Amino acid sequence: MKLQIFKDHQTIQQFCKRYKQQGQSIAFVPTMGNLHEGHLALVAKAKQSADIVIVSLYVNPMQFGANEDFNTYPRTLESDISKLTTLAVEGIFLPSAEQIYPNGIDQHTSIHTTLDSLYCGKSRPQFFSGIATIVTYFFNLITPDMVLFGEKDFQQLCVVKKIVRDLVFPIEVIGVETSREPNGLACSSRNQYLTSENQESASALYRILIGLKKDLIAGQKSFTVLEKLGWNQLIECNFTPDYLNIVSQKTLQPPTSKDTSLIILVACLFKQVRLIDNIKVELLTS
Ligand code: PAF
């Protein structure tokens, strides 16, 4: 099927409806464009999993704070379309802000989740309601059977899983492992705000996480001690930490004695650029 680009509600809705009526499955990959290896891995997985793959390219203003990088966020439409053409996706959704927020963001209904005020939500209070609102809008319009998100944004993945469960969307949410540069730095559109030398230094973030994971598995230090250790290591490597927490993968809350599937979540600034990353840790049950 030839790639189709949709710019308004009606055409994408008709397209999705037609293929669903024919019994075809739809996988959806929401993105803000500026596609990197991480996005391409999501699209590749989507292609394996469904008949029709739709990718949205939309920098959603609702999830940016007043002093954040909405205006400067990298927009690379031509190269994004060419990458998606190579991957043979069936549809690209390219809406305008007027389509989505006809009366402006302040007048728009927004969705809040109980994970809004934790971790990234603490320093970016508008962030998760902006995400929850836009993905709910996309889900209603596209009616995908499955939706794919990267695990780098683990809290976002949890927020989406919660929306799907709480609002009973018949959608399977698939988390895809974080793609990394050869030096370990998690792929992110914001990496390009850093020079290549600084990207190399920023890769220390992942090494710190690997070290903490080893210590967690060794089981000789408490969570609090390890969180403090990680925090100090971040500072030593010239990061400005926002948070570093060892939490349960399921609840995102501090682990109870029964939790064995943990995750270390981290966000920090490096040369003024906000980086987030995480590492999963499975504790052996005795
Ligand atoms: O992860 C992103 O790129 C965005 O938060 C998303 C899910 C496309 C919503 O705007």
Side-chain angles (χ1 to χ4, degrees):
M1 187 189 300
K2 197 169 167 288
L3 168 67
Q4 298 197 45
I5 299 183
F6 306 98
K7 295 196 170 166
D8 58 65
H9 295 173
Q10 291 77 10
T11 49
I12 187 141
Q13 212 164 23
Q14 279 162 12
F15 176 85
C16 294
K17 214 168 160 182
R18 177 154 30 99
Y19 284 98
K20 289 211 89 170
Q21 276 166 356
Q22 292 172 9
Q24 310 250 37
S25 56
I26 299 181
F28 172 49
V29 182
T31 80
M32 298 207 295
N34 192 238
L35 303 179
H36 52 62
E37 285 306 317
H39 297 113
L40 304 185
L42 299 179
V43 175
K45 173 98 180 143
K47 284 293 292 180
Q48 288 164 11
S49 316
D51 302 313
I52 304 280
V53 174
I54 310 268
V55 179
S56 61
L57 303 173
Y58 179 61
V59 185
N60 171 32
M62 201 194 249
Q63 70 192 67
F64 287 79
N67 301 319
E68 294 182 359
D69 55 346
F70 174 70
N71 288 325
T72 53
Y73 194 84
R75 287 159 171 89
T76 49
L77 186 57
E78 260 181 51
S79 95
D80 291 346
I81 294 179
S82 120
K83 288 174 183 166
L84 294 173
T85 309
T86 309
L87 288 175
V89 310
E90 281 69 24
I92 297 180
F93 186 39
L94 249 187
S96 62
E98 295 73 44
Q99 273 280 313
I100 299 185
Y101 303 114
N103 302 310
I105 291 171
D106 294 345
Q107 297 303 311
H108 201 79
T109 302
S110 70
I111 308 243
H112 298 266
T113 82
T114 50
L115 300 172
D116 273 2
S117 52
L118 295 171
Y119 315 116
C120 279
K122 243 191 199 162
S123 48
R124 307 185 68 190
Q126 74 300 324
F127 185 51
F128 288 112
S129 26
I131 290 169
T133 305
I134 195 77
V135 299
T136 305
Y137 164 92
F138 287 142
F139 292 170
N140 280 324
L141 203 57
I142 294 170
T143 62
D145 298 281
M146 63 203 81
V147 61
L148 294 95
F149 286 87
E151 287 186 342
K152 179 180 85 70
D153 302 297
F154 196 79
Q155 190 177 1
Q156 167 170 277
L157 176 63
C158 294
V159 164
V160 175
K161 282 187 176 161
K162 192 156 164 47
I163 294 170
V164 163
R165 192 171 53 239
D166 291 354
L167 304 181
V168 287
F169 280 106
I171 299 175
E172 182 189 357
V173 182
I174 301 174
V176 177
E177 199 185 318
T178 304
S179 297
R180 297 185 180 277
E181 301 297 342
N183 64 15
L185 182 66
C187 293
S188 163
S189 297
R190 290 195 169 97
N191 291 350
Q192 60 190 264
Y193 296 150
L194 295 169
T195 61
S196 51
E197 200 182 314
N198 286 336
Q199 287 187 22
E200 200 51 47
S201 311
S203 66
L205 183 57
Y206 187 49
R207 289 190 290 281
I208 292 174
L209 288 175
I210 292 174
L212 291 173
K213 174 174 176 166
K214 278 195 188 131
D215 279 348
L216 247 182
I217 290 172
Q220 275 157 6
K221 297 186 183 111
S222 71
F223 297 151
T224 322
V225 166
L226 285 176
E227 286 173 348
K228 188 134 206 297
L229 180 73
W231 189 273
N232 291 338
Q233 288 172 342
L234 287 173
I235 292 171
E236 274 161 31
C237 294
N238 299 317
F239 296 96
T240 308
D242 177 7
Y243 62 81
L244 185 150
N245 290 90
I246 300 170
V247 299
S248 148
Q249 281 180 35
K250 225 175 23 197
T251 61
L252 292 196
Q253 300 294 334
T256 65
S257 56
K258 289 202 187 104
D259 284 314
T260 53
S261 293
L262 310 187
I263 184 161
I264 311 172
L265 301 176
V266 62
C268 54
L269 291 182
F270 189 71
K271 308 279 173 203
Q272 318 290 343
V273 177
R274 186 176 171 86
L275 301 174
I276 65 171
D277 205 345
N278 62 66
I279 196 162
K280 287 182 180 171
V281 184
E282 298 296 333
L283 297 181
L284 292 174
T285 43
S286 47

